[in-house]
Amino acid sequence: MKISTNWLKEYIPVNHTVEEMANKISLTGIESGPVKLGEELTGLVVGHITSVEPHPDSDHLKVCKVDVGEAEDIQIVCGAPNVAADQYVIVAMHGAHLPNGVRIKRGKLRGQESNGMICGLDEVGVPAKYMPEEFENGIYVFDEPQKPGEAVYDLLGLKDQMIDIDITPNRADTLGMRGAAWEIGATYDEKPSFTEPKLINDKVKEFSDIDVAVENKDLVPDYLIRELKDVKVGKSPLWMQRRLWNQNIRPVNSVIDAANYVMIEYGQPIQAYDLDKLESNQLTVKFAENGDKLNLSDNDKVLDQNDLVVSSGNQIIGLAGIISSDVAKVDENTTNVLLEAGVFDGAHVRKTAQRHDLRNDASNRFEKGVDNGIVTEALTRATQLVDQTDSVKEISETIIGSYIEAKPTIIKGSVSHINHLMGLELTTEKMVGILERLGFNVEVDGDNLTVSVPTRRWDMSIEADLVEEVNRIYGYANLPNTLPAGMETRGGYSPKRELNNKLRNVLLGAGMDEVINYSLLNKKEVDDFNAIDTEYTKLLHPMTEDHEYLRSSLIPGLVRNIAYNQARKNADISIFEQARIFDRPTGQDRPNEVEYISGAVSGNVVSDSWNTKAQKVDFYYVKGLVEELLNNVNADSDFTFVATDEYSNLHPGQTAKILANEQVIGLVGKLHPNYQKAHSIDDTFVFELNVDLLFNLNKKSVQAQSAPKYPSISRDLAILVDKTVENGQIIADIYNNGGKYLKDVNIFDVYEGKNIKPSHKSLGYHLEFLNPDDTLTDDEVEKAFSLVKDSLVQKFNVEIR
Amino acid sequence: MSLNDTLKNLRENGIDEAKRAQRLQELNDLRVNLLGKKGPITKALRGMKDVPAEERPEIGTLANNVKNDIQAAIEEKMDELNKAIVAKKLAEEKIDVTLPATKQVQGTKHILNQTIEDIEQFFIGLGYEVAGGYEVEEDHYNFERLNIPKNHPARDMQDTFYLSDELLMRTQTSAQEGRDMEAHDFTKGPLKMISPGVVYRRDDDDATHSHQFHQIEGLVVDKNISMADLKGTLDALCRHVFGPDREIRFRPSFFPFTEPSVEVDVSCFNCGGEGCRICKYTGWIEVLGAGLTHPNVLKMSGIDPNEYSGMAFGLGPERFAMLKYGVNDIRDFYLNDVRFLEQFKGVN
Ligand SMILES: [Zn+2]
């Protein structure tokens, strides 16, 4: 809401620029910014049109003589349809500056001299949609005579200076000028003064042509009506109109304007109804029936049983706390008026306004709360404003539909505890002084405070609220900087996070860049890689189809990254991500969140250079990354790679499951050529590992051993074997038969093709034997080596070469 | 010619030949020829028997000197030749050091993780534990336990991805507060934790909004936690992240789970507070929200607000990184263009 300083001056002295005030209010209370209307405007004065003649050479232009307070009237050519003699108007003189850089210059219009311009309100800065409808297509005409030549800015509020406050939901007390005056007053230690609204006594009578009932008093604690009889509906005075249009509210007529004005002044929304348009002499606040209609000028709304309405007979005359229907609208022919001031349940108002897309100034206030201590006064004030030009004959007493007397909130607190929570040592006197500045009543009993908080601060209920009030008004800038002084604590990561960090460092060390992807994927992406075969987890109301499902694999994100990069000529990509995947077992609503680490490598792993030859990524490169990760897990278990063709988007001949103690903990493999093609990416190898499973493996306990003192003996073994036999099988068999001194087995050659028996391959192994405690003899080694060879011949029908 | 003269001649010629030698082989040959058992010096000394006995010692000394002198000349020349050989070899081995290196590449840690870890390390140093938390959270922990009941207007401030009536993608890492307070044994000392992680909002992605982003929640609960403690902690954090000359300021704000609540601004690290484009000419940049834990939040976790107080803060790594490195589009963090990622190598 924008707080006009001109208006604010009615309540408190204003001695600072709006910039200074906005800054100070931001630091002590509510985020604010300065607003200065019409800074660019110059040369705008009141003009009195003394004569209007037709333009000799134009059908629509008129030649006007205008008194602008100078010795002689000036001539202005004007094209507005509503221009007429004896009007008081806005004149932009020669040299005047208007909004948007428009400059007025003396000149000739179709041969007739024109010494300025007669202006409409929108031409001098009032937005067209907030100016009175009657001037929409023409010049603005003052209702009352004004002094020709006088500047128009103050008359029309064109240069109002304002503080735009952007409230948090708890500070709706400042959504009225009076509430804002309290807040700004507390900031500057100025107590605001207000005039209580008074009605003309002999007009107020005990009568009522209407029965008011509230069916849901729990949702409508206050519902008050005044009936105004024989009302002459006219235009509201200029001072009121200019304040309204500067609040972005269009002046309509003296009744509607008064209602709107009170909403700005008190923060209490007021509705007005034309009594004679009501279907019955009943006014009832109740829930609508399904299918009820609310007539609005632009479109009708179909209501349901969750909408709280104001009704008369079968007629819906308003959505409670939000908007009045057109059926009982007050217009210039209205003679009997009902003014309504109520308090409506915020949650209901919020839901209804949201459902019907009708959130407005009134609903906004009820949603956040209103001061139920001023409902009666606000209604009286609205009545007084309708009658300000003596345009009402009779006024009813307040007709009560529901009413609960509002009482101040009592908060108990202790000076020492409040100081404690702030980290300050304010004296009781100082603290009480601050609370009193806010308009709170304070009783002191030693260390104890009993604070009576007026109803306008309904956000206050507990001692912590007092801490905030005292601290902010005292000034956060005056707080010292300290650190919590409790018992020592040991900081650090969780063991699982430590493992994640370690694994990430392994991959960073291997030259892989770390990426972060979205957890929400589209349907196709989750279908593409559901290696863990989980139930999908889906958002109820996704924003877009692209982000609808929780990921069950990190690979789709990595593939997207590779496609993105390769489309931009970043051909060689080596990336990884460590994040969670979501695994939802059947029958469980909530997915398990599982830490994964996953990588993808595409293109060259060694690039072509003046001294190196390019080397493309292959299965074994990525397998090497995985093995190094597994080595760093420090797990006391055997990891095995088992060929698999069960993943549809992975290459059936170049993919392996990774097992730890028979349990699948991940996979490594090449993307399927079709899948690569569909994503326009080069040959890409991926892996993923379930870090949670790795974390749960038994840790290896490392017992240091000295480096061996005795030499090792090695043997090379070349075999010819059927192609289908895997290296893993051979190695396992060699270990099984190599005896206790077999230390290490390495494959150093794999060959198939020329000079090799068809469907066979030649493999070369290097075996290393070592006895850590003694010198090995050739005999011992030869014996073990023979056993190895015999077994291979027997089991795999190998040919020893 | 006397033996004396013969020896002197041999010396002169030997030294002369050594000096003239061009190759190591010539010097080796010279040594063998002149100084060997079959060489002229040995031969000449056979004539010693004809020399009077009293002159023999003198001749003997001379013969030794001649040998030594020739030997020295050969060695000197050898040394010279060896040096020339090494020099030549080194000259031949000269390379162009401006040719590009053989790459030894480390990967680059994602800038958001660098930012998060920098902040984590700061708090670990102050004795904070780094906690995890769930990305799929119950409405109960994400809202209700944070003093945000259903239909609370504050739910408007953040639009939520729901999975069911009770399950949602957490909108804030504060969702972890309730769980951590429940789990903590206060007889073992204060609760001091930070909880980094991913959060989700029902937002359209654009340059400044992302449906997924990171937060770091901080929470300290102990018997004497104050606003001054909060200010001191965040002041130290901002100096750590944005530089030692920074200051912070508190502005009143509202969060349902803290009371008092503040927004925290840091003095502009670009202009030092004079006003520039980055700080929108205010000299200050809003970096995080904080406050004292709301008594209701403590109570709901079974903590007596009369005995204990808490401070909480929440900050956004994306925002920190955008400010610190001038990233203009939050989506860049999630596109993972390696050229974008690699520019942050080792910044933190
Ligand atoms: Zn700046």
Side-chain angles (χ1 to χ4, degrees):
Chain A
M1 181 168 140
K2 285 182 292 198
I3 309 300
S4 156
T5 50
N6 272 325
W7 192 337
L8 188 64
K9 275 179 201 159
E10 290 182 11
Y11 312 129
I12 54 169
V14 175
N15 301 320
H16 305 276
T17 66
V18 282
E19 286 89 349
E20 284 167 345
M21 291 174 78
N23 187 47
K24 179 135 189 189
I25 294 163
S26 293
L27 291 177
T28 53
I30 302 166
E31 194 172 336
S32 304
V35 175
K36 292 165 127 178
L37 297 181
E39 275 195 291
E40 70 279 32
L41 301 178
T42 64
L44 299 176
V45 299
V46 172
H48 182 219
I49 303 178
T50 50
S51 73
V52 176
E53 303 291 336
H55 190 290
D57 298 316
S58 166
D59 292 340
H60 72 279
L61 293 178
K62 283 156 192 144
V63 180
C64 312
K65 294 274 192 275
V66 187
D67 174 5
V68 290
E70 292 174 359
E72 279 179 38
D73 291 359
I74 61 170
Q75 176 169 307
I76 297 177
V77 179
C78 178
N82 64 332
V83 67
D86 202 26
Q87 286 174 333
Y88 290 87
V89 295
I90 308 165
V91 173
M93 301 292 287
H94 169 72
H97 287 90
L98 299 186
N100 305 318
V102 176
R103 182 119 194 243
I104 300 304
K105 283 197 186 115
R106 182 178 294 135
K108 284 189 173 167
L109 275 172
R110 299 224 184 152
Q112 295 299 312
E113 192 178 303
S114 185
N115 293 296
M117 182 168 98
I118 304 175
C119 302
L121 275 178
D122 50 340
E123 286 165 319
V124 295
V126 178
K129 58 180 171 176
Y130 303 128
M131 63 192 210
E133 208 173 348
E134 60 175 312
F135 302 121
E136 240 176 8
N137 297 309
I139 54 166
Y140 176 74
V141 182
F142 289 97
D143 291 334
E144 309 275 333
Q146 306 290 344
K147 189 167 170 263
E150 190 192 356
V152 299
Y153 313 116
D154 288 351
L155 289 169
L156 300 171
L158 297 180
K159 284 184 181 269
D160 248 19
Q161 303 219 338
M162 308 168 112
I163 300 153
D164 191 3
I165 59 172
D166 183 10
I167 67 153
T168 45
N170 60 324
R171 290 305 309 274
D173 58 299
T174 56
L175 286 182
M177 286 300 302
R178 293 162 58 111
W182 274 109
E183 173 63 27
I184 298 169
T187 306
Y188 285 99
D189 202 4
E190 300 279 4
K191 193 176 158 66
S193 60
F194 303 108
T195 321
E196 205 187 318
K198 287 266 185 326
L199 301 178
I200 297 168
N201 267 339
D202 49 3
K203 288 189 183 183
V204 181
K205 306 220 163 84
E206 188 81 45
F207 68 89
S208 153
D209 296 310
I210 192 96
D211 290 332
V212 178
V214 173
E215 287 190 1
N216 311 84
K217 290 204 163 80
D218 52 330
L219 302 177
V220 191
D222 298 309
Y223 190 76
L224 308 178
I225 295 286
R226 275 197 197 256
E227 184 181 333
L228 284 62
K229 256 191 180 162
D230 283 331
V231 181
K232 284 196 288 293
V233 180
K235 288 207 263 179
S236 36
L238 181 55
W239 66 265
M240 189 188 263
Q241 290 196 36
R242 72 177 173 237
R243 283 184 175 179
L244 288 175
W245 68 54
N246 277 350
Q247 289 293 332
N248 293 352
I249 295 172
R250 169 180 284 215
V252 178
N253 60 45
S254 54
V255 176
I256 293 176
D257 292 357
N260 284 329
Y261 187 87
V262 170
M263 175 175 71
I264 300 299
E265 190 177 33
Y266 282 81
Q268 166 67 47
I270 305 277
Q271 297 291 351
Y273 307 106
D274 183 334
L275 176 59
D276 301 315
K277 290 178 182 168
L278 298 192
E279 205 176 81
S280 79
N281 60 354
Q282 291 279 333
L283 193 67
T284 311
V285 184
K286 57 170 194 176
F287 279 115
E289 296 189 8
N290 285 336
D292 278 353
K293 281 210 174 74
L294 177 77
N295 293 318
L296 297 176
S297 57
D298 38 359
N299 65 339
D300 290 355
K301 301 279 180 188
V302 181
L303 308 179
D304 70 28
Q305 58 193 16
N306 300 309
D307 296 326
L308 207 51
V309 295
V310 182
S311 66
S312 177
N314 291 320
Q315 195 182 30
I316 305 296
I317 64 167
L319 263 186
I322 304 171
I323 197 166
S324 303
S325 152
D326 266 17
V327 296
K329 200 172 178 178
V330 173
D331 57 33
E332 64 273 21
N333 301 316
T334 298
T335 50
N336 296 304
V337 170
L338 296 180
L339 288 179
E340 167 208 284
V343 175
F344 305 95
D345 176 66
H348 273 82
V349 167
R350 183 176 118 101
K351 269 197 206 149
T352 293
Q354 238 167 9
R355 188 162 51 236
H356 298 296
D357 197 18
L358 286 173
R359 297 179 90 169
N360 58 19
D361 288 340
S363 72
N364 179 33
R365 285 174 170 82
F366 288 121
E367 279 180 30
K368 299 190 170 97
V370 293
D371 176 4
N372 58 1
I374 49 89
V375 186
T376 314
E377 183 178 328
L379 184 60
T380 302
R381 172 65 169 158
T383 309
Q384 181 202 34
L385 286 170
V386 173
D387 191 33
Q388 62 184 312
T389 51
D390 195 18
S391 52
V392 182
K393 217 173 230 152
E394 288 188 349
I395 298 167
S396 78
E397 297 281 9
T398 305
I399 306 165
I400 296 173
S402 63
Y403 183 68
I404 295 171
E405 200 191 335
K407 294 207 176 85
T409 305
I410 306 299
I411 302 175
K412 302 221 181 249
S414 108
V415 174
S416 57
H417 196 226
I418 292 171
N419 268 327
H420 213 85
L421 290 169
M422 295 190 294
L424 290 170
E425 287 172 5
L426 301 187
T427 61
T428 305
E429 196 185 4
K430 176 91 193 161
M431 201 177 284
V432 169
I434 289 172
L435 293 168
E436 283 174 348
R437 255 163 89 170
L438 288 153
F440 304 167
N441 214 322
V442 187
E443 276 175 41
V444 183
D445 175 12
D447 187 47
N448 295 318
L449 302 178
T450 304
V451 182
S452 169
V453 179
T455 55
R456 66 180 164 78
R457 287 300 305 275
W458 64 92
D459 60 310
M460 305 269 308
S461 59
I462 55 174
E463 189 192 36
D465 297 322
L466 300 178
V467 175
E468 175 155 51
E469 296 304 297
V470 172
N471 209 338
R472 72 185 179 92
I473 298 291
Y474 178 69
Y476 287 126
N478 300 321
L479 275 178
N481 287 335
T482 59
L483 291 177
M487 204 193 286
E488 277 294 297
T489 49
R490 198 194 136 271
Y493 292 115
S494 68
K496 195 185 281 183
R497 173 70 192 277
E498 296 273 18
L499 176 59
N500 274 323
N501 286 350
K502 190 160 69 171
L503 298 181
R504 289 167 59 223
N505 284 332
V506 168
L507 297 182
L508 288 167
M512 301 182 81
D513 287 331
E514 185 179 40
V515 300
I516 297 179
N517 278 302
Y518 296 130
S519 310
L520 296 168
L521 305 181
N522 63 38
K523 177 75 163 56
K524 191 169 176 320
E525 287 172 315
V526 285
D527 281 339
D528 282 345
F529 280 94
N530 188 11
I532 57 168
D533 197 20
T534 184
E535 298 282 334
Y536 296 157
T537 313
K538 186 173 181 289
L539 300 182
L540 283 184
H541 306 290
M543 240 4 219
T544 76
E545 283 181 2
D546 269 349
H547 307 297
E548 189 173 6
Y549 290 86
L550 272 67
R551 61 183 169 185
S552 56
S553 167
L554 304 181
I555 294 175
L558 297 174
V559 169
R560 195 171 348 103
N561 299 151
I562 289 184
Y564 184 90
N565 275 288
Q566 291 186 341
R568 282 156 188 77
K569 302 261 188 312
N570 307 328
D572 304 331
I573 300 298
S574 182
I575 51 176
F576 76 94
E577 180 168 17
Q578 195 287 304
R580 290 187 195 162
I581 61 117
F582 299 85
D583 179 8
R584 190 164 69 87
T586 310
Q588 188 175 313
D589 282 344
R590 184 174 186 153
N592 299 325
E593 300 181 23
V594 191
E595 298 287 352
Y596 261 64
I597 192 161
S598 184
V601 187
S602 189
N604 290 330
V605 288
V606 177
S607 54
D608 226 343
S609 166
W610 65 277
N611 64 344
T612 52
K613 255 174 68 185
Q615 188 192 325
K616 275 186 101 63
V617 61
D618 62 13
F619 178 86
Y620 302 105
Y621 180 90
V622 179
K623 186 182 176 189
L625 296 172
V626 171
E627 281 186 341
E628 189 55 14
L629 283 174
L630 296 175
N631 289 340
N632 275 275
V633 172
N634 188 37
D636 185 21
S637 53
D638 291 326
F639 296 104
T640 50
F641 291 76
V642 180
T644 178
D645 58 3
E646 71 188 60
Y647 307 119
S648 58
N649 284 315
L650 292 174
H651 193 302
Q654 295 192 25
T655 298
K657 285 192 216 184
I658 306 162
L659 278 69
N661 311 332
E662 319 280 285
Q663 184 184 27
V664 179
I665 50 141
L667 58 84
V668 53
K670 186 184 179 186
L671 294 181
H672 196 287
N674 295 341
Y675 183 74
Q676 290 181 168
K677 206 170 154 200
H679 290 264
S680 310
I681 58 176
D682 295 342
D683 281 357
T684 298
F685 292 84
V686 297
F687 68 84
E688 64 178 23
L689 289 174
N690 180 325
V691 182
D692 283 0
L693 290 180
L694 294 177
F695 179 76
N696 291 332
L697 295 174
N698 289 329
K699 301 282 164 292
K700 201 162 30 184
S701 55
V702 174
Q703 189 64 50
Q705 287 176 347
S706 323
K709 292 189 188 70
Y710 301 96
S712 63
I713 295 181
S714 60
R715 288 284 184 277
D716 283 354
L717 170 67
I719 58 172
L720 194 65
V721 64
D722 192 279
K723 243 173 107 166
T724 56
V725 177
E726 289 180 337
N727 166 60
Q729 296 170 280
I730 304 279
I731 296 242
D733 198 64
I734 293 174
Y735 272 117
N736 279 341
N737 295 287
K740 61 177 174 178
Y741 299 134
L742 177 59
K743 182 89 183 129
D744 210 359
V745 182
N746 279 309
I747 184 162
F748 65 85
D749 187 43
V750 179
Y751 181 77
E752 47 191 277
K754 249 195 194 164
N755 304 327
I756 293 286
K757 224 197 288 184
S759 73
H760 276 64
K761 58 186 172 186
S762 159
L763 302 174
Y765 291 92
H766 185 83
L767 284 66
E768 196 162 321
F769 296 87
L770 178 80
N771 180 353
D773 304 320
D774 204 352
T775 308
L776 268 181
T777 64
D778 269 341
D779 272 1
E780 284 170 309
V781 171
E782 204 48 50
K783 229 153 105 193
F785 194 46
S786 296
L787 289 174
V788 165
K789 288 190 280 193
D790 291 350
S791 174
L792 290 178
V793 171
Q794 211 172 43
K795 287 214 187 83
F796 303 105
N797 196 24
V798 307
E799 228 175 85
I800 309 286
R801 299 171 54 139
Chain B
M1 206 188 319
S2 72
L3 188 53
N4 207 323
D5 289 344
T6 308
L7 286 171
K8 282 181 177 165
N9 258 343
L10 280 170
R11 172 159 71 188
E12 207 169 301
N13 291 340
I15 291 172
D16 198 43
E17 253 182 273
K19 280 187 177 156
R20 274 187 281 114
Q22 293 300 317
R23 294 180 307 118
L24 288 174
Q25 188 57 48
E26 286 174 43
L27 290 167
N28 272 329
D29 292 349
L30 188 62
R31 176 161 46 204
V32 173
N33 289 343
L34 280 184
L35 306 176
K37 285 195 178 104
K38 291 174 185 162
I41 296 174
T42 315
K43 214 162 135 193
L45 285 175
R46 285 190 199 125
M48 278 279 264
K49 58 183 188 307
D50 302 327
V51 175
E54 68 275 16
E55 288 177 24
R56 280 181 195 168
E58 199 183 322
I59 296 287
T61 308
L62 175 66
N64 260 334
N65 284 346
V66 168
K67 267 187 181 171
N68 289 343
D69 289 352
I70 293 174
Q71 179 75 28
I74 289 173
E75 274 170 17
E76 192 186 331
K77 186 64 184 185
M78 273 185 150
D79 200 38
E80 191 188 313
L81 286 180
N82 270 326
K83 276 186 181 147
I85 287 166
V86 169
K88 186 164 174 253
K89 190 163 188 280
L90 291 177
E92 282 166 1
E93 284 172 357
K94 185 172 166 57
I95 59 163
D96 180 355
V97 297
T98 66
L99 278 170
T102 308
K103 292 223 172 353
Q104 314 289 330
V105 195
Q106 283 256 339
T108 306
K109 202 179 277 180
H110 196 286
I111 184 58
L112 291 179
N113 281 338
Q114 293 194 52
T115 306
I116 290 168
E117 285 171 22
D118 181 41
I119 294 164
E120 285 171 345
Q121 291 305 327
F122 170 82
F123 281 109
I124 287 172
L126 291 179
Y128 287 62
E129 268 185 73
V130 182
Y134 295 102
E135 290 178 32
V136 173
E137 193 44 285
E138 294 164 30
D139 188 279
H140 175 75
Y141 283 105
N142 193 77
F143 289 125
E144 283 167 47
R145 286 288 291 276
L146 292 169
N147 209 23
I148 314 172
K150 294 215 158 77
N151 280 317
H152 192 286
R155 289 207 183 192
D156 265 9
M157 293 159 86
Q158 34 186 261
D159 268 298
T160 309
F161 285 125
Y162 277 91
L163 300 173
S164 68
D165 280 354
E166 293 305 323
L167 279 178
L168 46 79
M169 304 306 292
R170 71 173 167 198
T171 60
Q172 44 197 1
T173 42
S174 327
Q176 190 56 21
E177 284 192 6
R179 293 183 180 275
D180 284 324
M181 283 191 280
E182 273 169 6
H184 188 74
D185 178 358
F186 283 91
T187 62
K188 303 229 160 75
L191 169 64
K192 282 165 93 176
M193 66 108 184
I194 57 167
S195 179
V198 182
V199 299
Y200 304 83
R201 301 276 170 91
R202 207 170 167 282
D203 240 336
D204 275 320
D205 293 342
D206 62 25
T208 52
H209 297 85
S210 180
H211 73 276
Q212 169 181 326
F213 56 98
H214 293 74
Q215 275 190 342
I216 300 175
E217 172 75 11
L219 176 68
V220 179
V221 181
D222 197 5
K223 287 191 173 158
N224 292 304
I225 300 301
S226 70
M227 286 295 280
D229 291 339
L230 180 63
K231 192 162 169 238
T233 302
L234 297 178
D235 183 79
L237 170 70
C238 288
R239 287 174 201 272
H240 172 77
V241 175
F242 294 110
D245 298 332
R246 300 280 65 81
E247 293 172 56
I248 61 162
R249 69 175 189 187
F250 279 3
R251 279 181 295 109
S253 188
F254 170 74
F255 308 107
F257 40 97
T258 49
E259 185 71 35
S261 301
V262 290
E263 300 274 4
V264 183
D265 297 339
V266 64
S267 60
C268 181
F269 46 80
N270 186 53
C271 63
E274 293 193 352
C276 69
R277 196 180 51 81
I278 291 175
C279 59
K280 296 185 187 118
Y281 304 94
T282 63
W284 296 91
I285 299 174
E286 185 181 320
V287 287
L288 56 99
L292 291 189
T293 310
H294 196 289
N296 291 354
V297 174
L298 293 174
K299 268 188 244 168
M300 282 187 275
S301 297
I303 297 167
D304 179 0
N306 293 316
E307 194 182 347
Y308 286 90
S309 54
M311 67 185 207
F313 49 87
L315 55 88
E318 275 87 349
R319 179 159 175 76
F320 273 47
M322 287 173 92
L323 286 171
K324 207 167 160 184
Y325 303 109
V327 176
N328 294 317
D329 193 326
I330 195 169
R331 290 168 296 195
D332 284 344
F333 294 122
Y334 296 92
L335 283 174
N336 299 306
D337 187 315
V338 292
R339 294 164 300 185
F340 176 82
L341 298 175
E342 286 173 4
Q343 69 186 317
F344 299 110
K345 180 162 284 179
V347 291
N348 259 314

